[in-house]
Amino acid sequence: MAGTSPVRRGKAVNTETGELVQMSFFEDETIQRARVRYDWTPHPGRHVNVPKVLLAKLYAKDSGYTAKHRDLFFFYLAHSPDGAQPLRLTYKEIGEILGGRPATISTLLGTLHAGGLLLEAEKIGRMTFYRVNPRAGFDGSAVNQVEAVKDARLPVVPAPAASAQKKKEAS
C-alpha cells in the first residue's frame, strides 16, 4: 500500500508499572479533535437511533401495524429534520412520494399517532404535522434525545384498536 497511515503506533500500557497510557490515535491533533458525522460510503449522512426491540415488535404478525404503516413510519424516520422537529409535508405530498391517496395517508398517520410512534407537533388550519416520537427513533445527539424524551409517551405495540368514528345522524 502506498502512503502512510495517520494512526500512530504505540504502547497502550506502561509495562513497568502496569499503568494505562493515554493513547493518541492520530498524529495531527486537529484531525483527532474534529468531530464529523459518520460517513458510510456510498451513502453518507445522518443516522437515527431506533430501538431494535420496538422494530421487532412492529414486524410481528400480531402487531396491528401493516406494511403500509411501517413504510410510513420509516418514511418519517428518513425524511424528518434533525431533533424533534416535525415533517412539514402535506398528506398529498407524502402520498405522491409513497404512492397513496391523501385519505389513506391520513388514516395511517392517525394509527401511528394513536400508537405513539408519531406525535402531533403542530397544527396549521386543518393540517396536522407529526414528528417521530423520540422514544421510537431520534435523529440528533444523545443530550438532545434525553431532553426530547422527557415529555414523550411510550409507543404502543400492538396498535390500538381504531376508534369508532362519530357519524352525523340525519335530522
Side-chain angles (χ1 to χ4, degrees), residues 76 84-88 113 118-124 127-132:
Y76 265 76
Q85 296 298 314
L87 178 63
R88 290 185 179 91
H113 172 63
L118 298 178
L119 301 176
E120 189 175 313
E122 64 186 17
K123 202 166 189 162
I124 300 174
M127 185 68 194
T128 302
F129 294 104
Y130 295 96
R131 65 182 174 103
V132 176

Side-chain angles (χ1 to χ4, degrees), residues 9-169:
R9 310 271 184 229
K11 295 183 179 180
V13 176
N14 183 337
T15 54
E16 294 177 8
T17 64
E19 182 180 13
L20 290 174
V21 177
Q22 177 66 37
M23 294 175 50
S24 174
F25 290 101
F26 296 102
E27 293 174 1
D28 184 359
E29 290 297 319
T30 58
I31 294 174
Q32 183 178 4
R33 291 185 186 154
R35 292 180 183 244
V36 295
R37 291 188 181 270
Y38 290 107
D39 182 8
W40 300 103
T41 303
H43 306 291
R46 301 187 330 248
H47 295 81
V48 177
N49 294 327
V50 181
K52 290 176 71 172
V53 172
L54 176 65
L55 291 183
K57 287 181 178 182
L58 285 176
Y59 277 92
K61 286 185 178 183
D62 62 347
S63 72
Y65 295 102
T66 65
K68 289 183 179 184
H69 288 107
R70 291 188 296 268
D71 286 347
L72 188 55
F73 176 66
F74 287 119
F75 178 85
Y76 265 76
L77 283 175
H79 291 86
S80 292
D82 283 356
Q85 296 298 314
L87 178 63
R88 290 185 179 91
L89 292 176
T90 65
Y91 302 159
K92 182 179 178 183
E93 292 170 327
I94 294 171
E96 287 172 355
I97 295 169
L98 291 180
R101 295 184 359 235
T104 305
I105 299 298
S106 176
T107 303
L108 294 170
L109 284 172
T111 304
L112 292 172
H113 172 63
L117 294 168
L118 298 178
L119 301 176
E120 189 175 313
E122 64 186 17
K123 202 166 189 162
I124 300 174
R126 292 183 354 195
M127 185 68 194
T128 302
F129 294 104
Y130 295 96
R131 65 182 174 103
V132 176
N133 184 338
R135 292 182 185 271
F138 191 76
D139 180 3
S141 68
V143 173
N144 291 343
Q145 185 176 14
V146 169
E147 287 299 316
V149 298
K150 286 183 179 178
D151 65 341
R153 62 189 175 114
L154 293 171
V156 178
V157 178
S163 62
Q165 292 186 3
K166 297 178 183 176
K167 294 184 180 181
K168 293 182 181 179
E169 294 181 21

